[in-house]
Amino acid sequence: QVQLVESGGGLLQAAGSLRLSCAASVRTFSSYAMAWFRQAPGQERELVAGISWTGGNTYYADSVKGRFTISRDNAKNTVYLQMNSLKPEDTAVFYCATGRWVAGPYDRWGQGTQVTVSS
C-alpha cells in the first residue's frame, strides 16, 4: 500500500514563501507521476501542480503559474512544492498524490497539510 505523508504547512502572511514536502512509501517511486492538490472549504479539490516520472514534464494551474514550483527527488522518494508570493486565496489543505501520468488519473492521496495565508 502506498503511503504519502505531507509536511511543511503552516500559517504565514501574504507574500511569504513556504515549501511543502511529501515523503512516499512506495517500492518504485520513480514509476509514479506526482502531484499536489489543494482544497479550500466548500470548494472542489484542485490540481495545483504535477510532475512526470522523471521530472521532465510538469503542469501548473493558471492560478499558481510563476509562483509555485514542483520538483522531485527520486533517490529520496520525495516530492516538493515551493510556494512563493503566497496569497490569502491560496489558503487550503494541500494534498500530495500519485498517478500514472502527469495528466492523471491520480488515485492516491496523503492526509494533507494545512496552509493558511493571512492578509
Side-chain angles (χ1 to χ4, degrees):
Q1 184 176 0
V2 175
Q3 288 188 321
L4 303 170
V5 181
E6 302 94 336
S7 62
L11 173 65
L12 71 165
Q13 294 184 337
S17 297
L18 202 62
R19 186 171 75 161
L20 306 182
S21 298
C22 173
S25 177
V26 59
R27 181 177 296 276
T28 311
F29 178 78
S30 62
S31 67
Y32 291 89
M34 302 293 296
W36 288 96
F37 288 75
R38 68 183 180 188
Q39 187 168 27
Q43 303 295 317
E44 295 182 349
R45 187 170 295 186
E46 174 191 23
L47 174 60
V48 175
I51 188 166
S52 61
W53 297 352
T54 63
N57 189 24
T58 58
Y59 164 85
Y60 296 97
D62 288 343
S63 61
V64 307
K65 194 170 297 182
R67 298 189 296 122
F68 292 9
T69 303
I70 189 171
S71 61
R72 67 189 297 162
D73 186 338
N74 289 346
K76 296 181 179 180
N77 284 13
T78 302
V79 63
Y80 305 94
L81 185 67
Q82 178 66 46
M83 304 184 293
N84 298 325
S85 301
L86 282 161
K87 306 173 181 179
E89 50 263 44
D90 293 319
T91 295
V93 177
F94 281 71
Y95 299 90
C96 177
T98 66
R100 188 62 177 174
W101 314 105
V102 69
Y106 290 93
D107 54 11
R108 301 285 185 179
W109 283 266
Q111 296 298 306
T113 185
Q114 178 71 47
V115 174
T116 302
V117 184
S118 63
S119 60

